[in-house]
Amino acid sequence: MSQAAQAGGPASPGGPRQTAARHGGWATGGVTFAGVLMVCNGVLAVLEGIAAVAGDNVYFRIGAYVYKMNLTGWGVLHIILGALVLLTGIGLLMDMAWARFAGLFFVALSLITQFLFLPYQPIWSFVIIAIDVFLIWALATRQEAAA
């Protein structure tokens, strides 16, 4: 029996490399999709922050809130975090090694920020939290290619 036949074997038609590629395909595609979502999420967070800084009537006026910060402060926070998520998403799409770990960190911060922003925009915050959970999953499950 030749070495090529032994490597693939009759039980695994594609051999171990094809099996690994099939299992990693969802995670790899998820990371690309995560990069696109991070770019969109970053742009939307910047726009959300600009609306807050501008003092637009888009946001609810709340009374007593434990994590009280004026709307301008929330706006600046969203602009800075949105820009960092946007840049990290671009780095992720360019397959930069640092972007995956930075993405996990910034998306986790985004999730926490959106949770604290719930009283101002409850439905939108839940949507962004759900997207952030997917982003964390996609970035955490990526399997590096074997050398």
Side-chain angles (χ1 to χ4, degrees):
M1 189 189 270
S2 71
Q3 287 182 352
Q6 287 176 350
S12 58
R17 289 184 189 219
Q18 257 190 354
T19 304
R22 270 185 288 185
H23 292 292
W26 280 99
T28 304
V31 170
T32 303
F33 186 56
V36 173
L37 275 179
M38 285 180 72
V39 169
C40 294
N41 198 3
V43 169
L44 291 173
V46 168
L47 294 175
E48 184 179 20
I50 290 171
V53 169
D56 202 355
N57 290 329
V58 173
Y59 300 108
F60 295 125
R61 301 290 181 220
I62 58 173
Y65 181 47
V66 175
Y67 307 108
K68 188 169 180 136
M69 184 188 307
N70 66 9
L71 209 49
T72 302
W74 281 113
V76 169
L77 183 66
H78 281 296
I79 290 171
I80 292 169
L81 190 57
L84 291 171
V85 169
L86 171 69
L87 293 173
T88 305
I90 291 169
L92 197 62
L93 289 173
M94 295 173 64
D95 205 21
M96 301 289 200
W98 59 268
R100 190 172 126 217
F101 299 106
L104 281 167
F105 178 74
F106 291 132
V107 169
L109 282 179
S110 172
L111 189 145
I112 293 166
T113 303
Q114 290 299 327
F115 176 77
L116 296 175
F117 201 64
L118 272 170
Y120 295 96
Q121 281 290 346
I123 295 173
W124 181 249
S125 290
F126 276 125
V127 169
I128 298 299
I129 287 171
I131 291 171
D132 287 344
V133 167
F134 169 77
L135 289 171
I136 290 170
W137 171 83
L139 294 174
T141 57
R142 179 176 181 178
Q143 299 169 353
E144 298 298 325

